[in-house]
Amino acid sequence: MTRSVPILPSEITPPAWYEGRRRFLAHAGALLAITAAGAVRDAGAVPARTYAALGPDESVTRFEEVTNYNNFYEYSTDKKAVAALAENLRPRPWRVEIRGEVEQSVSWDPDDLERRFGLEERIYRLRCVEGWSAVVPWTGVPLAKVLGAVKFTSRARFVRFVAPHDPSRFYGQRGRSLPWPYTEGLTMEEAMHPLAMLVTGMYGKPLPNQNGAPVRLVVPWKYGYKSLKSVVSIVLENERPESFWMRMSPEEYGFYGNVNPEVPHPRWSQAREVRLGEVRRRPTLPYNGYAAEVAHLYRGLDPLKHP
Ligand code: MTE
């Protein structure tokens, strides 16, 4: 098990590997990809810390791969069509509201979030339930910091995330009636875990539309469907929220959705995965490689009964 290792700002070097050149440094027994700490939007907005946990046979996925093969059902179920369709997503103005079981609702725009809570860079694996995966350098703010700034009531036990519903812009919301808006949920404990992020950029740039501009959730130990794109609302709730995928197909997409190579999807195995841009299939890691950090959250929970 490779444990994720936080890297200090002083260790961050700017090799711009995402433009083709890659550099790796041996550090703490693991090979860590050192990323460009480039400004995401404002010059000077340097992410505070890089968090990398790559094994020796892993490298950051090419930007072109991650931005041209996307799940974003609001636009299309055709992953290769999403990038062009999402050109009409207007990431500004945008507000993320936090409401529900809170003493007072708040709403922040993406720049407020970055300024208030400070950008961090995290290199995480992203494992889609469909069997493909990527390694992405995200920039964003820890979700725990954002929630920590809000006073919630004693009834708050779950967090629901909501994406936009606007068929005039999102072509995929026009035809077949699906349970829009796209929603997802976490327990409060999961949402407060330091690995969970609200992301506003990737590869040292603002988040591309097709990847969920201007703000998305990233929960690296869960299947990608939990990492909701283009967040508009964060709602604190007392009861467990029902997600878009639970409404579509509850036996296939559970509330927890933790990456687990031993629990097959009803229609395929989850034991292996293919990184975007690669051909060989590699073993899928329990909790997507973050078991050391998160397994304690699920002690005593049977993943077969609570997928
Ligand atoms: N968020 C919204 N709003 N709509 C979606 O269809 N798809 C999810 C997730 N977030 C989805 C979403 C799924 S299934 C995956 S695998 C990831 O986004 C894909 O993220 P990526 O396109 O940035 O790789």
Side-chain angles (χ1 to χ4, degrees):
M1 182 68 47
T2 328
R3 209 187 157 90
S4 308
V5 182
I7 305 171
L8 298 173
S10 58
E11 296 173 82
I12 296 171
T13 53
W17 42 258
Y18 50 78
E19 282 159 5
R21 288 170 288 138
R22 288 173 184 175
R23 284 172 68 187
F24 300 94
L25 277 190
H27 184 87
L31 274 175
L32 302 177
I34 303 302
T35 76
V40 163
R41 187 163 306 102
D42 316 312
V46 176
R49 179 186 282 175
T50 295
Y51 196 96
L54 301 184
D57 62 339
E58 293 182 289
S59 54
V60 168
T61 304
R62 287 175 58 235
F63 179 82
E64 290 70 26
E65 303 282 354
V66 180
T67 51
N68 286 295
Y69 191 82
N70 303 100
N71 273 328
F72 204 161
Y73 273 51
E74 284 87 339
Y75 282 107
S76 172
T77 53
D78 175 354
K79 291 179 230 307
K80 294 186 180 162
V82 168
L85 295 172
E87 274 172 23
N88 78 351
L89 193 157
R90 250 178 241 119
R92 297 287 187 287
W94 193 280
R95 295 197 81 81
V96 179
E97 55 161 4
I98 306 185
R99 58 181 169 83
E101 294 292 348
V102 295
E103 284 181 10
Q104 201 170 3
S105 302
V106 291
S107 99
W108 284 309
D109 75 21
D111 307 313
D112 290 336
L113 287 173
E114 293 180 356
R115 267 194 301 268
R116 256 171 192 269
F117 302 107
L119 279 178
E120 295 187 23
E121 185 165 62
R122 304 280 178 93
I123 300 172
Y124 284 156
R125 297 178 198 89
L126 176 74
R127 167 57 157 90
C128 180
V129 73
E130 296 163 335
W132 56 269
S133 63
V135 175
V136 183
W138 305 105
T139 33
V141 299
L143 179 59
K145 278 196 184 172
V146 179
L147 294 177
V150 179
K151 280 213 174 84
F152 16 93
T153 74
S154 58
R155 286 173 48 80
R157 293 170 58 224
F158 295 94
V159 190
R160 179 161 57 100
F161 299 85
V162 188
H165 187 194
D166 177 5
S168 72
R169 178 165 335 163
F170 297 106
Y171 311 102
Q173 293 181 330
R174 289 183 194 172
R176 206 154 62 99
S177 70
L178 302 180
W180 305 113
Y182 195 103
T183 54
E184 259 308 335
L186 298 174
T187 65
M188 191 64 110
E189 218 187 356
E190 293 176 323
M192 295 302 282
H193 191 281
L195 290 183
M197 297 287 284
L198 276 183
V199 154
T200 55
M202 60 186 221
Y203 298 80
K205 308 172 196 192
L207 205 54
N209 290 353
Q210 62 268 39
N211 295 91
V215 184
R216 77 177 290 177
L217 180 65
V218 171
V219 193
W221 68 95
K222 292 175 178 285
Y223 289 118
Y225 66 84
K226 304 288 297 184
S227 290
L228 178 140
K229 295 178 172 180
S230 306
V231 181
V232 289
S233 303
I234 299 177
V235 192
L236 283 288
E237 298 193 327
N238 184 247
E239 304 218 333
R240 197 175 85 169
E242 201 181 44
S243 68
F244 178 83
W245 286 107
M246 287 162 76
R247 271 181 221 152
M248 296 264 279
S249 187
E251 15 359 278
E252 294 181 318
Y253 308 105
F255 173 78
Y256 286 98
N258 294 319
V259 174
N260 189 338
E262 284 168 19
V263 176
H265 184 281
R267 290 181 278 143
W268 58 83
S269 161
Q270 292 292 25
R272 299 184 156 269
E273 66 196 60
V274 185
R275 288 278 149 86
L276 297 182
E278 294 183 4
V279 277
R280 84 176 175 95
R281 280 147 49 87
R282 58 173 73 226
T284 286
L285 305 173
Y287 296 104
N288 206 20
Y290 305 100
E293 287 89 346
V294 302
H296 68 276
L297 295 177
Y298 308 101
R299 215 159 275 146
L301 192 83
D302 180 351
L304 286 170
K305 289 201 192 109
H306 303 279

